């Protein structure tokens, strides 16, 4: 399914996209608030400014995903593979990233206020200007 079809269905009121397989899909400057995306694979997806508030994306593979400036507030990304992803400038405040693989990810200027990063692998992550106030980093791997 391409981005236009997803956006068309979203505009028509559909919110459950749990069956969608998205590779190299661009959803730039769109907000998908309340969208259910638990089965999607976002490998090399480009959902800048997507705002899936309270969406659940557990154990998803988002290797090398471009999520620059994405608004993903309170999103469940527990166990997600975000290795080498570009999350620079993204808002992941309050999100659940426990056990997520963020090795080599770019988190420069990312908002992780209040995020759950327990057990996340942050090896080689760019944390310049990253907001980590009240983030839970218990058991996170921080080796460079």
């Amino acid at each position: 399914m391409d981005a236009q079809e997803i956006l068309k269905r979203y505009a028509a009121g559909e919110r459950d996209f749990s069956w969608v397989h998205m590779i190299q899909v661009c959803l730039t400057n769109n907000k998908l608030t309340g969208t259910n995306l638990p089965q999607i694979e976002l490998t090399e997806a480009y959902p800048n400014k997507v705002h899936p508030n309270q969406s659940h994306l557990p154990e998803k593979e988002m290797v090398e995903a471009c999520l620059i400036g994405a608004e993903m507030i309170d999103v469940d990304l527990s166990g997600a593979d975000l290795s080498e992803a570009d999350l620079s400038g993204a808002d992941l405040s309050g999100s659940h990233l426990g056990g997520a693989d963020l090795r080599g990810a770019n988190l420069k200027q990312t908002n992780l206020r209040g995020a759950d990063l327990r057990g996340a692998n942050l090896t080689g992550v760019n944390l310049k200007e990253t907001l980590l106030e009240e983030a839970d980093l218990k058991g996170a791997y921080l080796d460079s």
Side-chain angles (χ1 to χ4, degrees):
M1 175 176 293
D2 66 11
Q4 284 186 319
E5 182 64 21
I6 291 168
L7 295 172
K8 178 180 170 186
R9 290 177 180 219
Y10 181 83
E14 188 171 342
R15 295 297 182 265
D16 186 358
F17 296 95
S18 59
W19 50 274
V20 175
H21 184 72
M22 291 179 7
I23 296 178
Q24 296 181 336
V25 173
C26 180
L27 294 172
T28 302
N29 296 323
N30 291 287
K31 293 187 181 220
L32 301 178
T33 304
T35 304
N36 181 19
L37 304 167
Q39 302 299 317
I40 66 165
E41 179 181 328
L42 289 172
T43 303
E44 298 179 21
Y46 300 87
N48 292 3
K49 307 256 186 230
V50 173
H51 192 0
N53 268 5
Q54 299 176 6
S55 295
H56 183 67
L57 302 168
E59 299 181 53
K60 294 300 138 220
E61 182 180 336
M62 292 180 259
V63 177
E64 298 180 11
C66 178
L67 298 161
I68 298 169
E71 296 177 38
M72 297 175 67
I73 301 163
D74 296 319
V75 173
D76 186 346
L77 293 164
S78 302
D81 186 348
L82 289 157
S83 55
E84 304 294 329
D86 191 346
L87 294 153
S88 56
D91 187 350
L92 291 164
S93 55
S95 291
H96 302 279
L97 293 152
D101 184 355
L102 292 156
R103 286 176 294 166
N106 184 5
L107 297 178
K108 183 178 180 180
Q109 299 178 334
T110 299
N111 182 356
L112 290 169
R113 284 186 178 128
D116 177 1
L117 292 158
R118 290 177 290 172
N121 189 339
L122 299 168
T123 304
V125 170
N126 179 357
L127 291 171
K128 291 181 182 172
E129 302 175 42
T130 298
L131 302 174
L132 290 165
E133 290 85 9
E134 299 180 23
D136 189 345
L137 292 161
K138 289 180 189 130
Y141 302 98
L142 298 166
D143 293 333
S144 54

